Every structure is written in structure tokens, then in C-alpha cells.
Amino acid sequence: MAVQGGGGRRLGPFALHLWIFLSLLLFPHIRSFYLPGVAPQDFNKGDPLKVKVNKLTSTKTQLPYSYYSLPYCRPETIVDSAENLGEVLRGDRIENSPYVFKMREPQMCNVVCRVELNAKTAKEFKEKIDDEYRVNMILDNLPLVVPVRRPEQELSTVYQHGFYVGLRGQYAGSKDEKHFINNHLTFTVKFHKDPETDSSRIVGFEVKPFSVKHEYEGKWNENNRLLTCDPHAKRAVTNSDSPQEVEDKKEIIFTYDVEFQESDVKWASRWDTYLLMADDQIHWFSIVNSLMIVLFLSGMVAMIMLRTLYRDISKYNQLETQEEAQEETGWKLVHGDVFRPPTNSDLLCVYAGTGVQFFGMILVTMIFAALGFLSPSNRGGLMTAMLLLWVVMGLFAGYSATRLYKMFKGTDWKKIALKTAFMFPGTVFAIFFVLNAIIWGEKSSGAVPFGTMFALVLLWFGISVPLVFVGGYVGFKKPAIEDPVKTNKIPRQIPEQAWYMNPVFSILIGGILPFGAVFIELFFILTSIWLHQFYYIFGFLFIVFLILLVTCAEITIVLCYFQLCSEDYLWWWRSYLTSGSSAFYLFLYAAFYFFTKLEITKPVSGVLYFGYMLIGSYAFFVLTGAVGFYACLLFTRLIYSSVKID
């Protein structure tokens, strides 16, 4: 049985066994199957292999550009590949190229074209070389990688995405730094051969770039034989000793070689090389260590809470006289005010509903990603799935917001549904629109086209908003949630609190533990986004996500319990902000990462980084805040329904 996940990445052992079991149970007559859209392609000897070009990327600017924004060799007609929503939002621009191979037929020193630079094109190349831009290509859905040998590391070879446009250097005996372009590419196509059918499947796509100043006799024409690279004389390019300089009026001849290398790697495992790109033993140990610490702390918190609450409830329920009850202090004394609706209760309902929407979106996305459906081979699949799930989860956002609103004795559910549908998405869209305008001003391919922007607005207004209203209608029609105790007409005076129970202090303290649960995983996520690396450890991410939920719930419950024991019953907003404050630490960590790990020099790129991290931190605040709030709501209802109130 051939079970594939996400365009060639193998499913994990648990997921694999689950698929086999379900398929045998539900489809006993099916011999083999592939997940939709990821079937392998077989090539016979001599079949054409068409290389596609993708965007130019740089970790220094974070601004992608289309391949043909530079004066590279062009095919007769440039054809854009169909891209999904996620690919467009990522700035992918996949187009055809003049590089065409024939399966298992090596080629040497193929001339692609000759380009004569002028002042403008030379400047464009120099700028891209200065900003360390890389050229990305694709063959049979595999990205082009450059093998780099690192003898000091455990893995002797690591793979970098794409090759540099060029490099800066000096001629021997010269102090002036020059720009040199990588104009000769030695491609290596790795294939796995089927011994029965003689067909092959592509399992690797590598390149070694060289900068070579090609020479020829006489005037240039298409039939000229190069002196520096000649297949007839078996003269191949093996070094960049005589590099091609980038200057006005210089000519550049682009050439390439193709080598075919048989590999034992099967098609199902071809992404393993791409995903194991670094020595991650230390990283795995750090993640496991972090998870163990968080689990230990969570267990301690849970044990303390259970023992303390059990003793409190038993003691209160054993009181026999009113005098004894009046002598007691603590959380029971505020039973007449603890369920009093908070100030700005409408806003709390909106944020709680939005948090539920986020929780549903991330939970489903995590499950699909952990099962291998959203692997890196499915370009843009993760972002597309998250957007569509966000839209669908609007149903639950409306339901939970109006349900809470009715508990607060509210009557105008349409107002709450409208705010839920527009407040968070509207804020994010406004920031995104400004950032997109900045990218558009830089003429980057990362700018979202008008058509895609219209599609996003259509998803929002055409599907998400109606679903929020449907959910809101259903939620408001449900019977109101009854409070376990009656609320007094006159609010009780809150006694003076100790310094450590100050709202700002306790809220900031409460956000540390949830952030501690995710900060190591956050390093990997930021690296994958801003250093253009694959992120693939979704199984660990799912575990970290579950621990984040438990940690948010427990730390909020503990601090809420201490607050109620201090006879402060204003817990509604504080419960949301306690776990939500972890977003503040997330943004601080993002700033730390920016100054320590990234080499961004352009102000525009810095604005984009902090703009997108602000959106991410805002989303994290909404998610963690809602988890803490609902945990606290459940906790308070549970403890006040467990004691005898006279």
C-alpha cells in the first residue's frame, strides 16, 4: 500500500498505521491509493523535464521579487503557473524558464542566451547581489538546493534553498571590490529507477553555481563555440577562477550543465533530505526539555489547586452557624458579586468569540498538519487552509459571543455579532493593507494583487460575516446560562489589595508561563518564516499547543483563585488579560530575534517585520486570552456551585 502525505513527505508512524487501519476497515477492496494531488510522475529516458523559476528571496530585505525582474534569459513566452491563495500571499511567482532537460541524457555547456548589460541592468544585478538575493527554481515540485559541505558538523552536507545571484570579491592584487554574477549552473538531477518498467522518478534537484567569464573567437553568434566551456573538447566548468564581472557594457553568457545521478532514495522519501537540513539534535533536546519543565510545573499547579480547593470547600460546607460564616474570609464572601457583569461586557464577548474562532482554526490546522496533509511540499497549503478554516469557524465565533452576551442579560445580539465579524478581522486587514501598500511601493512580488485582495474581502464579507450572524442567532436562541449563585443589587466594596495582587503586576506575571511553553518552538517558527527554511515538526508543535492550552488555563485559574481569596471579584477582564499577556512577551521576543538573528538593514523591511509580528502577537493575545477566560469561567462556576450558600 502506498500512503503519501503532502506531496511526497511520509506520514509519521502513528498516522501511517491509522491510515492503513482505516483504509482496510472502510475500503477493503482498494489495493493502493494516494492522497489527492500528490501522485508521483514517471519519466522515461528522453522525456522533457521543464524547470520552473520562482521568486528571488533575501533574508536581508524580506522583499521577494519575480525571477524576470532581473534581465535573466527568457523563454519565448512567459507562462504563469496556477497558484493557490497561500502561494500568492507568500509572494510566490512560479513561471516557466528556458532551462529544459531530457531525462537521463546529460548535457554539457548548454548556452541559454547572451545578455549585454547597460547602466540600469548592471545596477539592478549589483543591488540584488549586495542584498544577497537567492534564485529559486522548481523541478517536479522539488525546490532547487545547493549542497554545502560542512566537515565540522555531524551532518557533513547541508542544503540551502536556491543559489545566490552573485557575490562580491576582489581580483588578486586589487583593493577594489567588484560584483560577480553566477552565470554557469551545474545541475544534478537525482532519480530513482524502476527496474521493471525502466521509468524513473525524480528524487533530488541540486545545483552548483559558478561565475565564469566565457570566451569565444570572433563576433558572437548562436553557433559560436566557447573556449571556456566546450562539450566537444570535454572542457567543463569546475571553478570560478576567472569570474564574470557585472559592469555597464559587459556581456554575460549564461550556460548550464546537467548531470543525472541514480539514487536509492524512493519517491516517497524524497523530501526527507530537504527537511533534515541542519543538525537539530540540540534543538530537539531543548524542545523536549522545555516540554518536560512545563509539564512538571503544570502538574504542580494542578495538584496544589485540587488540594487547596478540596480543603476550602469541605471547611465552608461544615460551617453550621451564621456567626461562623461571618468570621470566615476569602472567596466565599464575594459570592454575591462574582458573577456581576463586567464593565465593557460587549467587548469581552467579542474577544471571547474571536478567541474561540482562533482556537477552532488552529486546532483543525494542527491536526491536518500533524497527519501530513499540509507538509512544506504543498506550497501555500498551510496558509490557504488557515484562511479557509478561519472563515468557517466564524460560525462558532458568533455562537460563543452571543451566548456569553445573553448570560450578561444583553438583548441586542445583532450588535455583538456585527462587532465579532468586523473588529478583529478589520484591525488585521487595516494593518495588512498598509503593509501591502509599502510592499507594492517597493515593486516586490510579495505585494498581494488586487484580484487576490478582492477574493479575501469576498471571503470575509460573503462567507465569514454571514456565518458569524448564523452562529450568533443560534447562540442567542439558546436558553441563557444561569449563574450558580444570586448577584447582590449593591456591589460589595473591594478591600485594599496587597502589592503583589495589583492588576498590572499579576497580569504580567501570568503571561510568563504560557510564553515559556512556546518560546523554543517560536524560534523554529520565526526561523522558517524569516530565514526561508522549511518548518515540518508539526507533531511537536501540536504537543506544544496542547501544553500551551493547559498552561494558560492553569495559571489563570491559580491567579483568579488568589484574587477571589483577596475578596476582589473583578475577575472577568483580568482572567482574559492574564493569559493574554503572554502575547506581550511574544512581541518582545520577536524584537529580540530581530536584533540578534536577522541582518535586516532596510527601514522598509523592519517596518514589515514588526507589522507582521504585531498581527501575530495580536492573534496570540486573542487565542490565549480566550483560553484563560473560559477556563476561569468554568472554574468559578464549579467552585460556587459546590458550596452551600445561605
Side-chain angles (χ1 to χ4, degrees), residues 140-153:
D140 190 34
N141 200 37
L142 277 180
L144 181 68
V145 292
V146 178
V148 179
R149 286 204 161 275
R150 292 185 179 174
E152 75 278 1
Q153 292 192 355

Side-chain angles (χ1 to χ4, degrees), residues 523-595:
F523 171 82
F524 288 99
I525 294 171
L526 291 179
T527 300
S528 70
I529 294 172
W530 301 107
L531 295 182
H532 306 147
Q533 295 181 12
F534 284 127
Y535 185 87
Y536 60 95
I537 42 179
F538 292 112
F540 257 109
L541 184 62
F542 187 59
I543 295 170
V544 170
F545 175 66
L546 294 178
I547 289 178
L548 172 67
L549 300 180
V550 172
T551 310
C552 284
E554 288 184 346
I555 195 68
T556 310
I557 287 170
V558 169
L559 292 177
C560 180
Y561 173 72
F562 290 153
Q563 181 186 350
L564 294 175
C565 286
S566 301
E567 300 178 34
D568 183 356
Y569 52 83
L570 301 176
W571 64 273
W572 296 95
W573 271 109
R574 199 188 290 194
S575 65
Y576 196 102
L577 296 173
T578 295
S579 52
S581 66
S582 55
F584 171 70
Y585 297 103
L586 188 149
F587 191 77
L588 287 181
Y589 182 79
F592 170 79
Y593 185 88
F594 178 84
F595 291 110

Side-chain angles (χ1 to χ4, degrees), residues 419-431:
K419 287 182 178 179
T420 306
F422 285 98
M423 183 170 288
F424 179 84
T427 306
V428 170
F429 189 81
I431 298 171

Side-chain angles (χ1 to χ4, degrees), residues 244-313:
Q244 174 63 59
E245 192 179 331
V246 177
E247 281 297 339
D248 184 19
K249 296 184 174 57
K250 292 272 186 183
E251 67 170 9
I252 302 174
I253 298 172
F254 290 92
T255 55
Y256 69 94
D257 303 334
V258 186
E259 300 170 357
F260 287 89
Q261 193 178 104
E262 191 166 357
S263 172
D264 294 331
V265 176
K266 294 185 178 180
W267 185 87
S269 308
R270 66 179 188 163
W271 273 89
D272 291 0
T273 307
Y274 291 80
L275 300 179
L276 299 174
M277 288 197 174
D279 54 335
D280 47 349
Q281 292 296 323
I282 298 172
H283 298 158
W284 283 108
F285 176 77
S286 299
I287 293 172
V288 172
N289 191 47
S290 174
L291 295 180
M292 291 303 105
I293 292 171
V294 171
L295 279 173
F296 174 74
L297 290 173
S298 300
M300 290 285 289
V301 166
M303 186 175 68
I304 292 168
M305 288 305 303
L306 287 172
R307 290 188 63 183
T308 307
L309 274 175
Y310 180 77
R311 189 178 66 246
D312 279 356
I313 291 171

Side-chain angles (χ1 to χ4, degrees), residues 446-497:
V448 178
F450 175 78
T452 306
M453 195 72 82
F454 180 76
L456 290 174
V457 173
L458 193 65
L459 280 173
W460 180 14
F461 282 82
I463 302 176
S464 181
V465 173
L467 284 177
V468 171
F469 270 86
V470 170
Y473 175 78
V474 173
F476 196 75
K477 285 296 178 183
K478 290 272 185 180
I481 301 170
E482 296 294 332
D483 296 332
V485 290
K486 291 182 180 179
T487 302
N488 297 332
K489 291 183 179 179
I490 301 173
R492 179 189 178 90
Q493 187 173 358
I494 299 172
E496 189 175 344
Q497 300 293 302

Side-chain angles (χ1 to χ4, degrees), residues 60 89 112 160 188 368 386 396 469 501 513 516 546 593:
K60 293 186 79 172
L89 292 176
V112 188
Q160 297 176 343
T188 301
F368 275 95
M386 290 180 75
F396 298 97
F469 270 86
M501 290 307 297
L513 197 57
L546 294 178
Y593 185 88

